[in-house]
Amino acid sequence: MALIDLSRKKSAPFTARRMATLGFFVTLLIVVGWLHFTGAAATRGIERKDMDWNNDGNVTMREMLQSFYAVTVTTTTEGARECRTFAFRGSEQSLRVDCKTVVQPASK
C-alpha cells in the first residue's frame, strides 16, 4: 500500500462522444455570440408575450423563431428615455418601437 502511485498511467484520451459533445457546445456558444453581436431580438431579453411581430394578439412558434434569425433590436437612449426599435433584419422599416423612462440613481 504505497502513498504515491508510480505507475505513471496516462488519463484516457477524449472519446469520440466527448469530442462531439464539446464540438456541439462550442458551436452553440459561437452561434449565440454571433446572434447577440448582430442584434437578434431573442438575445436582448425580449419576453415571449412581446414577440407578436404581426400584432394579431397571438404569439406563434414561428414568431418566436423569427426573434432568433429575422428580427433585430436597436436601443437608443436620450436622457432618461430608452427606446428599443424592432425591425426585420436588412430592413429600414420598424415593426415596433418600445420606449420607457429609466430612473438612474443620483450621481455624487
Side-chain angles (χ1 to χ4, degrees):
M1 189 159 105
L3 296 176
I4 300 174
D5 185 16
L6 299 175
S7 63
R8 298 192 182 253
K9 293 181 183 177
K10 290 186 177 181
S11 61
F14 275 128
T15 62
R17 181 181 291 169
R18 286 183 181 175
M19 287 299 285
T21 303
L22 179 64
F24 172 75
F25 283 111
V26 167
T27 303
L28 184 65
L29 183 63
I30 290 170
V31 168
V32 170
W34 177 79
L35 287 171
H36 186 72
F37 179 74
T38 58
T43 63
R44 302 295 175 163
I46 306 301
E47 293 184 26
R48 181 178 184 261
K49 64 180 177 142
D50 294 332
M51 294 182 186
D52 185 18
W53 309 125
N54 59 5
N55 292 324
D56 66 350
N58 295 328
V59 178
T60 62
M61 180 61 77
R62 181 177 183 201
E63 289 172 324
M64 286 190 292
L65 291 174
Q66 283 178 341
S67 69
F68 280 100
Y69 69 88
V71 179
T72 60
V73 179
T74 306
T75 304
T76 56
T77 305
E78 296 176 11
R81 188 175 179 90
E82 183 178 286
C83 294
R84 297 187 331 182
T85 305
F86 300 92
F88 280 117
R89 192 175 299 276
S91 173
E92 296 296 325
Q93 185 179 6
S94 65
L95 295 169
R96 181 174 73 229
V97 178
D98 292 338
C99 293
K100 64 180 178 180
T101 302
V102 179
V103 179
Q104 298 176 352
S107 61
K108 293 181 180 180

